[in-house]
Amino acid sequence: MDSSWQRTPLYAAHLRSGARMVPFGGWEMPLHYQGILAEHRSVRERAGVFDVSHMGEFLLSGPAALEFLQWITPNDLARLRPGRAQYNWLPNAQGGLVDDVYIYCLAEDSYLMVVNAANIRADWDHLNGLAEGFAGRGLTLQDLSAATALLAVQGPRAASSLQEITDTDLSAVRKNGVIQAAVAGWPVRLARTGYTGEDGFELFCPAESAEALWAAICVLGVTPAGLGARDTLRLEAGFPLYGHEFRPDRSPLTTHYGWVVKDKPWYAREALLAAPREPHLVGLLPQGAIAREGSSVYRGDELVGEVSSGTQSPSLGRPIAMAFVRGEAGPLEVEVRGRRVPAQLVRLPFWPPSPH
Amino acid sequence: MNVPENLKYTGSHEWVRQDGADVTVGITDFAQDQLGDIVFVELPQPGQQVQAGAQVAVVESVKTASDIYAPLSGTVTAVNPALAETPELVNRSPYQDGWLFRLSPRGGGEDLLDAEAYLALTRDA
């Protein structure tokens, strides 16, 4: 593999666990260890641990931090108290997205922003560009990405497993809560967040303690899980992924995440609200073929869209796909290797399955 | 990695076994390991004429779809019926239960690799 790929502090641990390493967003990351299907099932039925240290972390602090974040994002951070986290976007001035992010309020004037690995550079430039308007107002931006490791422990047994190695009462940490805790004796910032559609925690820790924490979590019987399972899990849960569902040249209001936008003034509000909302994101159940990213979607003979993410769903045992499609009425077909197969339109998410 | 001595191989990771007048075709242990969990297999139709080197089947893992090429020209005489319901047989038993299709070949096959040559090829991969 090209030596220019970056490695997380857990690179050696992954190799020892037999990981298949692949390039991802400029990083050399584990695709799987024992296999995507087994890792996926572990997370849905028990618990798995992911190395997501490639993701970026920025600390925004100072008296103007809240006002700055309010100005550059569409969700309302005024409601966000210390110890709470919120999903949010970094829109560009054209109504598309620079990135989608999670923002953790650590204290009154201190916010931790977690960003996608492939976008760290672009996000940092974007934030610093907008921060010029706040010069002299008390705003400090710090890129903590290189010094910070991030482990995601996800699954129905995530809490009971982690509880074995921390004195902090995890039942007191609600969804989207974030606290300082000691886990296996190591200081971590522990948040009840994740990207799998399951209960779980994300542990921010200094890069130096990542290997020891990883080992302490694996010893609990938590299954190491790679980016392959992370992708199938997020797709089943209907979570958009930057570079697939979110792009600089597409409004995020084409997705089912319109709730992110709150009624408040901010810098790109008009551009975001004015951007075209068609084609829009739908869930599809292709029949008898796995439609992958780029597959064409047809209504009759008319080309009406394109698959943005598609895979075989390990939980449902059938192909699933997200696609951007023009118009509402069906029936739809997707083209796989020159052959068109029916694709039933369904509400997102795919998992957990709706009673219908 | 398992590379049985009694089989012939292609550079695109198919194996070929002489079974009477027909040949049986599958993918190698190396190929199934590289692909990971196989979740879908698309096979040719019995009776279909195929050309050596032409794409005739598709094996899909969770992550990617991989084309399978005909190692010899000929007529498809059978496909593995078990793979529709249990594609993971290709992972579990690539040389036995996970076979893909059978061909009645029209000669050829001189350029297929023996086990030693195939093993050397995977070491360079």
Short mmCIF file of all heavy atoms in Angstrom, two decimals, chain A residues 4-47:
data_model
loop_
_atom_site.label_atom_id
_atom_site.label_comp_id
_atom_site.label_asym_id
_atom_site.label_seq_id
_atom_site.Cartn_x
_atom_site.Cartn_y
_atom_site.Cartn_z
N SER A 4 2.00 6.93 1.54
CA SER A 4 1.43 8.22 1.88
C SER A 4 0.12 8.08 2.67
O SER A 4 -0.41 9.05 3.19
CB SER A 4 1.17 9.04 0.62
OG SER A 4 0.19 8.42 -0.17
N TRP A 5 -0.42 6.84 2.74
CA TRP A 5 -1.63 6.66 3.55
C TRP A 5 -1.30 6.89 5.02
O TRP A 5 -0.28 6.44 5.52
CB TRP A 5 -2.19 5.24 3.40
CG TRP A 5 -2.57 4.90 2.00
CD1 TRP A 5 -1.97 3.99 1.19
CD2 TRP A 5 -3.64 5.46 1.23
NE1 TRP A 5 -2.59 3.96 -0.04
CE2 TRP A 5 -3.61 4.86 -0.04
CE3 TRP A 5 -4.60 6.44 1.50
CZ2 TRP A 5 -4.52 5.18 -1.04
CZ3 TRP A 5 -5.51 6.76 0.50
CH2 TRP A 5 -5.45 6.14 -0.74
N GLN A 6 -2.22 7.57 5.71
CA GLN A 6 -2.03 7.78 7.14
C GLN A 6 -2.50 6.55 7.92
O GLN A 6 -3.35 5.80 7.45
CB GLN A 6 -2.79 9.01 7.59
CG GLN A 6 -2.34 10.28 6.89
CD GLN A 6 -3.04 11.49 7.45
OE1 GLN A 6 -2.74 11.93 8.55
NE2 GLN A 6 -3.99 12.02 6.69
N ARG A 7 -1.92 6.37 9.11
CA ARG A 7 -2.29 5.25 9.96
C ARG A 7 -2.77 5.75 11.31
O ARG A 7 -2.24 6.73 11.82
CB ARG A 7 -1.08 4.33 10.15
CG ARG A 7 -0.66 3.66 8.86
CD ARG A 7 0.65 2.92 9.02
NE ARG A 7 0.96 2.18 7.80
CZ ARG A 7 2.09 1.51 7.60
NH1 ARG A 7 3.01 1.47 8.56
NH2 ARG A 7 2.29 0.86 6.48
N THR A 8 -3.73 5.05 11.89
CA THR A 8 -4.21 5.42 13.23
C THR A 8 -3.28 4.80 14.27
O THR A 8 -2.47 3.92 13.95
CB THR A 8 -5.64 4.92 13.48
OG1 THR A 8 -5.59 3.52 13.77
CG2 THR A 8 -6.55 5.17 12.28
N PRO A 9 -3.40 5.21 15.53
CA PRO A 9 -2.57 4.62 16.59
C PRO A 9 -2.82 3.12 16.76
O PRO A 9 -2.04 2.45 17.43
CB PRO A 9 -2.99 5.38 17.85
CG PRO A 9 -3.64 6.62 17.37
CD PRO A 9 -4.24 6.31 16.03
N LEU A 10 -3.88 2.60 16.16
CA LEU A 10 -4.22 1.19 16.33
C LEU A 10 -3.78 0.33 15.15
O LEU A 10 -4.13 -0.85 15.07
CB LEU A 10 -5.74 1.04 16.54
CG LEU A 10 -6.21 1.60 17.88
CD1 LEU A 10 -7.73 1.73 17.91
CD2 LEU A 10 -5.74 0.71 19.02
N TYR A 11 -2.99 0.90 14.26
CA TYR A 11 -2.56 0.17 13.06
C TYR A 11 -1.95 -1.19 13.40
O TYR A 11 -2.34 -2.22 12.85
CB TYR A 11 -1.56 1.03 12.27
CG TYR A 11 -1.03 0.35 11.04
CD1 TYR A 11 -1.79 0.28 9.88
CD2 TYR A 11 0.23 -0.25 11.05
CE1 TYR A 11 -1.31 -0.35 8.74
CE2 TYR A 11 0.72 -0.88 9.91
CZ TYR A 11 -0.05 -0.93 8.76
OH TYR A 11 0.42 -1.56 7.64
N ALA A 12 -1.01 -1.21 14.34
CA ALA A 12 -0.33 -2.47 14.70
C ALA A 12 -1.33 -3.46 15.31
O ALA A 12 -1.28 -4.66 15.04
CB ALA A 12 0.82 -2.20 15.66
N ALA A 13 -2.23 -2.94 16.13
CA ALA A 13 -3.24 -3.80 16.76
C ALA A 13 -4.13 -4.45 15.70
O ALA A 13 -4.51 -5.62 15.81
CB ALA A 13 -4.09 -3.00 17.74
N HIS A 14 -4.46 -3.70 14.66
CA HIS A 14 -5.30 -4.25 13.58
C HIS A 14 -4.58 -5.39 12.88
O HIS A 14 -5.17 -6.43 12.60
CB HIS A 14 -5.66 -3.16 12.57
CG HIS A 14 -6.48 -2.06 13.16
ND1 HIS A 14 -7.49 -2.30 14.06
CD2 HIS A 14 -6.44 -0.73 12.98
CE1 HIS A 14 -8.03 -1.14 14.40
NE2 HIS A 14 -7.42 -0.19 13.77
N LEU A 15 -3.30 -5.18 12.57
CA LEU A 15 -2.55 -6.23 11.89
C LEU A 15 -2.47 -7.49 12.75
O LEU A 15 -2.64 -8.60 12.26
CB LEU A 15 -1.13 -5.74 11.55
CG LEU A 15 -1.01 -4.63 10.50
CD1 LEU A 15 0.44 -4.43 10.12
CD2 LEU A 15 -1.85 -4.95 9.26
N ARG A 16 -2.27 -7.30 14.06
CA ARG A 16 -2.21 -8.46 14.96
C ARG A 16 -3.54 -9.20 14.98
O ARG A 16 -3.58 -10.40 15.20
CB ARG A 16 -1.84 -8.01 16.39
CG ARG A 16 -0.36 -7.71 16.58
CD ARG A 16 0.00 -7.69 18.06
NE ARG A 16 -0.72 -6.69 18.82
CZ ARG A 16 -0.34 -5.42 18.93
NH1 ARG A 16 0.76 -5.01 18.34
NH2 ARG A 16 -1.05 -4.57 19.64
N SER A 17 -4.65 -8.48 14.78
CA SER A 17 -5.97 -9.12 14.79
C SER A 17 -6.34 -9.69 13.42
O SER A 17 -7.48 -10.13 13.23
CB SER A 17 -7.04 -8.11 15.21
OG SER A 17 -6.75 -7.64 16.51
N GLY A 18 -5.41 -9.65 12.48
CA GLY A 18 -5.68 -10.24 11.17
C GLY A 18 -6.54 -9.39 10.27
O GLY A 18 -7.24 -9.92 9.40
N ALA A 19 -6.50 -8.08 10.44
CA ALA A 19 -7.35 -7.20 9.63
C ALA A 19 -6.91 -7.18 8.17
O ALA A 19 -5.73 -7.26 7.87
CB ALA A 19 -7.32 -5.79 10.20
N ARG A 20 -7.90 -7.08 7.28
CA ARG A 20 -7.63 -6.75 5.88
C ARG A 20 -7.64 -5.23 5.80
O ARG A 20 -8.68 -4.60 6.01
CB ARG A 20 -8.72 -7.37 5.00
CG ARG A 20 -8.78 -6.88 3.58
CD ARG A 20 -7.79 -7.54 2.63
NE ARG A 20 -7.55 -8.95 2.83
CZ ARG A 20 -8.25 -9.94 2.29
NH1 ARG A 20 -9.29 -9.68 1.52
NH2 ARG A 20 -7.92 -11.19 2.52
N MET A 21 -6.46 -4.64 5.54
CA MET A 21 -6.36 -3.18 5.54
C MET A 21 -6.63 -2.64 4.14
O MET A 21 -6.17 -3.22 3.15
CB MET A 21 -4.98 -2.74 6.02
CG MET A 21 -4.57 -3.30 7.37
SD MET A 21 -5.64 -2.79 8.75
CE MET A 21 -5.16 -1.07 8.95
N VAL A 22 -7.37 -1.54 4.06
CA VAL A 22 -7.69 -0.92 2.77
C VAL A 22 -7.56 0.59 2.88
O VAL A 22 -7.67 1.15 3.97
CB VAL A 22 -9.15 -1.25 2.33
CG1 VAL A 22 -9.30 -2.73 2.03
CG2 VAL A 22 -10.15 -0.80 3.37
N PRO A 23 -7.30 1.25 1.74
CA PRO A 23 -7.28 2.71 1.76
C PRO A 23 -8.68 3.29 1.90
O PRO A 23 -9.61 2.80 1.27
CB PRO A 23 -6.66 3.09 0.41
CG PRO A 23 -6.79 1.90 -0.46
CD PRO A 23 -7.01 0.71 0.40
N PHE A 24 -8.85 4.27 2.76
CA PHE A 24 -10.15 4.92 2.95
C PHE A 24 -9.91 6.38 3.32
O PHE A 24 -9.36 6.67 4.38
CB PHE A 24 -10.96 4.22 4.05
CG PHE A 24 -12.29 4.85 4.31
CD1 PHE A 24 -13.41 4.52 3.55
CD2 PHE A 24 -12.43 5.82 5.29
CE1 PHE A 24 -14.63 5.12 3.77
CE2 PHE A 24 -13.65 6.44 5.51
CZ PHE A 24 -14.75 6.08 4.76
N GLY A 25 -10.32 7.28 2.44
CA GLY A 25 -10.25 8.71 2.73
C GLY A 25 -8.84 9.17 3.10
O GLY A 25 -8.69 10.02 3.96
N GLY A 26 -7.82 8.57 2.47
CA GLY A 26 -6.45 8.96 2.75
C GLY A 26 -5.83 8.17 3.88
O GLY A 26 -4.68 8.40 4.25
N TRP A 27 -6.59 7.23 4.46
CA TRP A 27 -6.12 6.44 5.60
C TRP A 27 -6.07 4.96 5.24
O TRP A 27 -6.81 4.50 4.39
CB TRP A 27 -7.05 6.63 6.81
CG TRP A 27 -6.99 8.01 7.35
CD1 TRP A 27 -7.53 9.13 6.77
CD2 TRP A 27 -6.33 8.44 8.54
NE1 TRP A 27 -7.25 10.22 7.54
CE2 TRP A 27 -6.52 9.83 8.63
CE3 TRP A 27 -5.61 7.78 9.52
CZ2 TRP A 27 -6.01 10.58 9.68
CZ3 TRP A 27 -5.11 8.52 10.57
CH2 TRP A 27 -5.30 9.90 10.65
N GLU A 28 -5.21 4.25 5.94
CA GLU A 28 -5.13 2.81 5.81
C GLU A 28 -5.92 2.22 6.97
O GLU A 28 -5.50 2.31 8.12
CB GLU A 28 -3.65 2.39 5.87
CG GLU A 28 -3.38 1.03 5.30
CD GLU A 28 -1.88 0.73 5.31
OE1 GLU A 28 -1.06 1.67 5.40
OE2 GLU A 28 -1.55 -0.46 5.26
N MET A 29 -7.08 1.65 6.67
CA MET A 29 -8.04 1.27 7.72
C MET A 29 -8.45 -0.20 7.58
O MET A 29 -8.40 -0.76 6.50
CB MET A 29 -9.29 2.15 7.62
CG MET A 29 -9.05 3.64 7.84
SD MET A 29 -8.40 4.05 9.49
CE MET A 29 -9.80 3.63 10.54
N PRO A 30 -8.90 -0.81 8.69
CA PRO A 30 -9.36 -2.20 8.61
C PRO A 30 -10.71 -2.29 7.91
O PRO A 30 -11.68 -1.65 8.33
CB PRO A 30 -9.48 -2.62 10.08
CG PRO A 30 -9.64 -1.36 10.84
CD PRO A 30 -8.95 -0.28 10.06
N LEU A 31 -10.78 -3.08 6.82
CA LEU A 31 -12.07 -3.32 6.14
C LEU A 31 -12.85 -4.36 6.95
O LEU A 31 -14.04 -4.22 7.18
CB LEU A 31 -11.83 -3.84 4.73
CG LEU A 31 -13.07 -4.24 3.94
CD1 LEU A 31 -13.98 -3.05 3.69
CD2 LEU A 31 -12.69 -4.88 2.61
N HIS A 32 -12.15 -5.42 7.35
CA HIS A 32 -12.76 -6.42 8.22
C HIS A 32 -11.66 -7.24 8.88
O HIS A 32 -10.49 -7.16 8.49
CB HIS A 32 -13.73 -7.33 7.45
CG HIS A 32 -13.11 -8.11 6.33
ND1 HIS A 32 -12.35 -9.23 6.53
CD2 HIS A 32 -13.12 -7.91 4.99
CE1 HIS A 32 -11.94 -9.70 5.37
NE2 HIS A 32 -12.37 -8.91 4.40
N TYR A 33 -12.03 -8.02 9.90
CA TYR A 33 -11.11 -8.92 10.58
C TYR A 33 -11.53 -10.35 10.23
O TYR A 33 -10.98 -10.98 9.36
CB TYR A 33 -11.13 -8.68 12.10
CG TYR A 33 -10.87 -7.24 12.47
CD1 TYR A 33 -11.88 -6.29 12.45
CD2 TYR A 33 -9.60 -6.82 12.84
CE1 TYR A 33 -11.65 -4.97 12.78
CE2 TYR A 33 -9.34 -5.49 13.18
CZ TYR A 33 -10.38 -4.58 13.15
OH TYR A 33 -10.15 -3.26 13.47
N GLN A 34 -12.62 -10.83 10.87
CA GLN A 34 -13.09 -12.19 10.54
C GLN A 34 -14.02 -12.18 9.33
O GLN A 34 -14.18 -13.21 8.67
CB GLN A 34 -13.79 -12.80 11.75
CG GLN A 34 -14.82 -11.87 12.38
CD GLN A 34 -15.56 -12.49 13.54
OE1 GLN A 34 -15.92 -13.65 13.48
NE2 GLN A 34 -15.79 -11.73 14.58
N GLY A 35 -14.63 -11.06 9.02
CA GLY A 35 -15.55 -10.97 7.90
C GLY A 35 -16.67 -9.98 8.20
O GLY A 35 -17.10 -9.85 9.35
N ILE A 36 -17.14 -9.30 7.15
CA ILE A 36 -18.12 -8.23 7.34
C ILE A 36 -19.42 -8.77 7.95
O ILE A 36 -20.00 -8.17 8.86
CB ILE A 36 -18.41 -7.53 5.99
CG1 ILE A 36 -17.16 -6.78 5.51
CG2 ILE A 36 -19.59 -6.57 6.12
CD1 ILE A 36 -17.28 -6.17 4.13
N LEU A 37 -19.89 -9.93 7.47
CA LEU A 37 -21.17 -10.45 7.94
C LEU A 37 -21.14 -10.75 9.44
O LEU A 37 -22.05 -10.38 10.18
CB LEU A 37 -21.57 -11.71 7.17
CG LEU A 37 -21.87 -11.51 5.68
CD1 LEU A 37 -22.21 -12.85 5.03
CD2 LEU A 37 -23.00 -10.52 5.47
N ALA A 38 -20.08 -11.44 9.88
CA ALA A 38 -19.98 -11.80 11.30
C ALA A 38 -19.85 -10.56 12.18
O ALA A 38 -20.45 -10.47 13.25
CB ALA A 38 -18.79 -12.73 11.51
N GLU A 39 -19.09 -9.58 11.70
CA GLU A 39 -18.90 -8.36 12.48
C GLU A 39 -20.19 -7.55 12.55
O GLU A 39 -20.55 -7.00 13.59
CB GLU A 39 -17.75 -7.53 11.88
CG GLU A 39 -16.40 -8.23 12.05
CD GLU A 39 -15.31 -7.72 11.12
OE1 GLU A 39 -15.38 -6.55 10.68
OE2 GLU A 39 -14.37 -8.50 10.83
N HIS A 40 -20.90 -7.51 11.42
CA HIS A 40 -22.19 -6.83 11.37
C HIS A 40 -23.17 -7.45 12.39
O HIS A 40 -23.79 -6.74 13.17
CB HIS A 40 -22.76 -6.95 9.95
CG HIS A 40 -24.08 -6.29 9.75
ND1 HIS A 40 -24.23 -5.13 9.02
CD2 HIS A 40 -25.33 -6.62 10.17
CE1 HIS A 40 -25.51 -4.78 9.02
NE2 HIS A 40 -26.19 -5.68 9.70
N ARG A 41 -23.24 -8.79 12.37
CA ARG A 41 -24.16 -9.48 13.29
C ARG A 41 -23.76 -9.26 14.74
O ARG A 41 -24.61 -9.09 15.61
CB ARG A 41 -24.18 -10.98 13.00
CG ARG A 41 -24.97 -11.30 11.75
CD ARG A 41 -25.20 -12.80 11.61
NE ARG A 41 -25.47 -13.11 10.21
CZ ARG A 41 -24.58 -13.65 9.37
NH1 ARG A 41 -23.39 -14.02 9.80
NH2 ARG A 41 -24.90 -13.85 8.11
N SER A 42 -22.46 -9.24 15.01
CA SER A 42 -22.01 -8.99 16.38
C SER A 42 -22.53 -7.66 16.89
O SER A 42 -22.98 -7.55 18.04
CB SER A 42 -20.48 -8.98 16.45
OG SER A 42 -19.98 -10.28 16.22
N VAL A 43 -22.49 -6.64 16.04
CA VAL A 43 -22.95 -5.31 16.47
C VAL A 43 -24.47 -5.28 16.65
O VAL A 43 -24.98 -4.69 17.59
CB VAL A 43 -22.49 -4.23 15.47
CG1 VAL A 43 -23.10 -2.87 15.82
CG2 VAL A 43 -20.97 -4.15 15.44
N ARG A 44 -25.22 -5.95 15.76
CA ARG A 44 -26.68 -5.95 15.90
C ARG A 44 -27.14 -6.80 17.10
O ARG A 44 -28.15 -6.50 17.72
CB ARG A 44 -27.33 -6.51 14.63
CG ARG A 44 -27.33 -5.58 13.44
CD ARG A 44 -28.54 -4.66 13.41
NE ARG A 44 -28.52 -3.78 12.25
CZ ARG A 44 -28.07 -2.51 12.29
NH1 ARG A 44 -27.64 -1.99 13.42
NH2 ARG A 44 -28.08 -1.77 11.19
N GLU A 45 -26.39 -7.87 17.40
CA GLU A 45 -26.87 -8.81 18.42
C GLU A 45 -26.14 -8.68 19.75
O GLU A 45 -26.71 -9.00 20.79
CB GLU A 45 -26.72 -10.25 17.89
CG GLU A 45 -27.63 -10.53 16.70
CD GLU A 45 -27.21 -11.77 15.92
OE1 GLU A 45 -26.37 -12.54 16.44
OE2 GLU A 45 -27.71 -11.95 14.79
N ARG A 46 -24.89 -8.25 19.73
CA ARG A 46 -24.10 -8.16 20.97
C ARG A 46 -23.39 -6.81 21.03
O ARG A 46 -24.02 -5.81 21.31
CB ARG A 46 -23.13 -9.34 21.03
CG ARG A 46 -23.85 -10.70 21.12
CD ARG A 46 -22.89 -11.88 21.13
NE ARG A 46 -22.09 -11.96 19.92
CZ ARG A 46 -22.51 -12.55 18.77
NH1 ARG A 46 -23.72 -13.07 18.70
NH2 ARG A 46 -21.73 -12.59 17.72
N ALA A 47 -22.11 -6.81 20.73
CA ALA A 47 -21.38 -5.54 20.72
C ALA A 47 -20.12 -5.67 19.87
O ALA A 47 -19.50 -6.73 19.82
CB ALA A 47 -20.99 -5.11 22.14
#
